Amino acid sequence: MRFVLGLVSGLVFGMGLVVSGMSDPAKVLNFLDVFGSWDPSLAFVMGGASLTTFVGYRLIWRRERPLMMPRFEIPTRADIDAPLLTGAAIFGIGWGIGGFCPGPAWTALPLAAPGTLAFLPAMVIGMLAGLWISLRLRAKKPRFAT
């Protein structure tokens, strides 16, 4: 049942990305082009998503536990460190250059959006390279401080 709910959630999310125009890199790039052909419609998409999330969380937190899990799994880390800032910067630069972020890039694949076939392999290679670098750095750290 969890698989079916996850699949349905993913399909609804993907359809929302397509309907909102998030899978069109030109729309995203026009939103970022404040001094050129600026398109503010993406701000309304983000505002609607924020409002929906706000209301959704208020309703979900009234429950004792999630529908398909024994308990809520809440992240415990709240620190802001160099890897977080570096990753956020790389993500933002990539989004600004390519007009895609990972979710919309995958939804644009069946739509044959221009640049998708170049962006997706580059994104996957970048993600694998980041994982490899992270594992290499983690392996070099001493396990116990002396």
Side-chain angles (χ1 to χ4, degrees):
M1 185 63 160
R2 280 183 54 202
F3 175 78
V4 172
L5 289 175
L7 180 65
V8 169
S9 297
L11 288 172
V12 169
F13 178 68
M15 287 177 14
L17 291 173
V18 171
V19 168
S20 68
M22 288 287 293
S23 59
D24 179 7
K27 187 169 201 67
V28 173
L29 293 173
N30 284 338
F31 173 73
L32 297 173
D33 188 11
V34 180
F35 300 111
S37 56
W38 187 58
D39 178 4
S41 63
L42 208 50
F44 294 107
V45 171
M46 289 188 267
S50 297
L51 181 62
T52 303
T53 301
F54 178 81
V55 171
Y57 268 98
R58 296 298 169 268
L59 294 173
I60 291 297
W61 286 124
R62 292 180 181 175
R63 297 182 57 87
E64 195 172 303
R65 66 178 190 85
L67 193 59
M68 293 287 156
M69 297 292 287
R71 60 184 164 76
F72 287 104
E73 295 185 18
I74 311 300
T76 56
R77 288 188 61 175
D79 57 325
I80 297 174
D81 58 2
L84 176 67
L85 293 175
T86 303
I90 291 170
F91 176 86
I93 291 167
W95 192 43
I97 291 171
F100 283 121
C101 63
W106 286 110
T107 61
L109 185 61
L111 302 174
T116 308
L117 296 177
F119 180 85
L120 275 174
M123 178 185 75
V124 171
I125 289 168
M127 291 169 88
L128 292 173
L131 177 62
W132 182 78
I133 290 168
S134 175
L135 292 173
R136 298 273 300 177
L137 290 174
R138 199 173 300 145
K140 290 184 180 183
K141 284 185 181 178
R143 291 182 184 233
F144 301 102
T146 56

